[in-house]
């Protein structure tokens, strides 16, 4: 069965510093990978996805993520954190040629410290 | 509509009553998901519909929970004999088929259910 792990419940980063939110996955085939963000009292918003091609994908709000097949990882990154990046982040995986079900990680709360 | 629509946005019900939550997905999306989120915590998977296939009900927490999707479009999540622990935000999402390049899921704003 496919699964997603977000090993950190909470990540704190100083404003202006680079940030990384970790995600590893397990799926039998080639994965489709996603990051979503949830701001306080808001719904989930799509940030970026990896489908195929370049391992480094860029998304909204200056975020990017790198697909690493050998390490089965898809870490979310941003070169310089903003206070407004403080939110709950979810990684998700889908096997497009399996059951196609979208499976989410448990989420990581990112806090940017001014 | 342009996005996933959920109704009602808020629901307060008395313990023991039944409730129905509605989700109207994006037109043409074959996949529809229900999740539950408590107090800004993680997403708890409830049920997954994909086209005409049998739904994946593996996340439903008890037999008080059921869901249906009529005509491959609108879905209703029903909770019978509600309990206080059912209080949460219920989120619906839809997406196109897995092999599509435009395969990300889009979420509704959720229904906040409070059982008193």
């Amino acid at each position: 069965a496919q699964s997603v792990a977000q090993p950190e419940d909470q990540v704190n980063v100083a404003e202006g510093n680079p940030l990384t939110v970790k995600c590893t996955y397990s799926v039998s085939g080639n994965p489709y990978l996603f990051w979503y963000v949830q701001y306080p009292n808001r719904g989930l918003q799509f940030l970026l996805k990896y489908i195929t091609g370049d391992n480094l994908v860029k998304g909204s709000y200056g975020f990017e993520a790198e697909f690493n097949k050998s390490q089965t990882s898809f870490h979310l990154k941003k070169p310089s954190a903003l206070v407004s990046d403080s939110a709950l982040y979810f990684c998700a995986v889908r096997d497009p040629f399996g059951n196609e079900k979208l499976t989410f990680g448990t989420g990581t709360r990112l806090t940017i410290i001014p | 509509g342009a996005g996933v629509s959920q109704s009602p946005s808020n629901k307060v019900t008395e313990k023991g009553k039944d409730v129905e939550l509605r989700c109207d997905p994006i037109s043409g999306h074959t996949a529809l998901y229900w999740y539950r989120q408590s107090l800004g915590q993680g997403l708890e998977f409830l049920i997954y519909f994909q086209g005409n296939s049998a739904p994946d009900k593996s996340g439903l927490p008890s037999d008080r929970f059921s869901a249906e999707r009529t005509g491959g479009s609108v879905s209703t999540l029903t909770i019978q004999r509600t309990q206080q622990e059912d209080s949460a935000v219920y989120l619906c999402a839809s997406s196109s088929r897995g092999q599509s390049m435009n395969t990300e899921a889009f979420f509704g704003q959720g229904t906040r259910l409070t059982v008193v």
Side-chain angles (χ1 to χ4, degrees):
Chain A
Q2 62 195 43
S3 65
V4 177
Q6 293 182 244
E8 301 157 318
D9 291 335
Q10 172 83 40
V11 171
N12 297 326
V13 177
E15 186 179 18
N17 281 5
L19 70 86
T20 299
V21 183
K22 296 179 181 178
C23 171
T24 59
Y25 66 90
S26 174
V27 69
S28 58
N30 292 320
Y32 284 4
L33 293 157
F34 307 86
W35 276 101
Y36 286 81
V37 60
Q38 186 177 36
Y39 297 103
N41 300 313
R42 301 286 296 277
L44 270 81
Q45 299 177 32
F46 167 74
L47 262 184
L48 52 75
K49 65 185 175 185
Y50 171 81
I51 303 298
T52 187
D54 194 347
N55 289 344
L56 183 65
V57 293
K58 295 184 183 297
S60 306
Y61 311 119
F63 283 93
E64 58 188 28
E66 185 167 13
F67 170 60
N68 187 317
K69 188 171 184 177
S70 63
Q71 296 186 3
T72 62
S73 68
F74 190 56
H75 301 331
L76 182 69
K77 300 182 179 184
K78 186 172 182 181
S80 179
L82 300 173
V83 173
S84 58
D85 293 330
S86 298
L88 189 56
Y89 290 81
F90 292 95
C91 181
V93 67
R94 190 176 194 183
D95 179 356
F97 298 99
N99 66 8
E100 302 182 44
K101 177 180 166 183
L102 187 64
T103 300
F104 281 86
T106 52
T108 298
R109 188 166 300 280
L110 175 66
T111 300
I112 307 303
I113 302 166
Chain B
V4 178
S5 177
Q6 290 187 247
S7 61
S9 55
N10 282 282
K11 177 71 177 180
V12 180
T13 189
E14 292 181 351
K15 178 181 174 181
K17 299 286 189 183
D18 298 351
V19 295
E20 285 189 350
L21 311 181
R22 177 187 168 103
C23 174
D24 201 339
I26 292 172
S27 177
H29 278 187
T30 57
L32 187 147
Y33 302 81
W34 283 99
Y35 296 90
R36 180 167 72 173
Q37 187 177 33
S38 300
L39 294 174
Q41 299 302 308
L43 296 172
E44 179 185 1
F45 166 74
L46 297 177
I47 189 167
Y48 163 54
F49 296 90
Q50 176 57 277
N52 295 321
S53 302
D56 178 348
K57 303 179 181 181
S58 60
L60 294 178
S62 77
D63 59 7
R64 297 188 294 106
F65 288 73
S66 63
E68 63 178 21
R69 188 178 185 189
T70 54
S73 180
V74 172
S75 177
T76 302
L77 177 68
T78 300
I79 309 173
Q80 295 178 312
R81 305 180 301 282
T82 52
Q83 303 296 312
Q84 287 186 330
E85 60 263 29
D86 299 335
S87 297
V89 176
Y90 289 80
L91 294 168
C92 177
S94 71
S95 69
S96 54
R97 284 206 70 94
Q99 296 89 346
S100 165
M101 293 295 285
N102 297 317
T103 189
E104 59 268 31
F106 295 86
F107 281 80
Q109 290 301 303
T111 293
R112 182 177 298 276
L113 176 66
T114 303
V115 181
V116 297

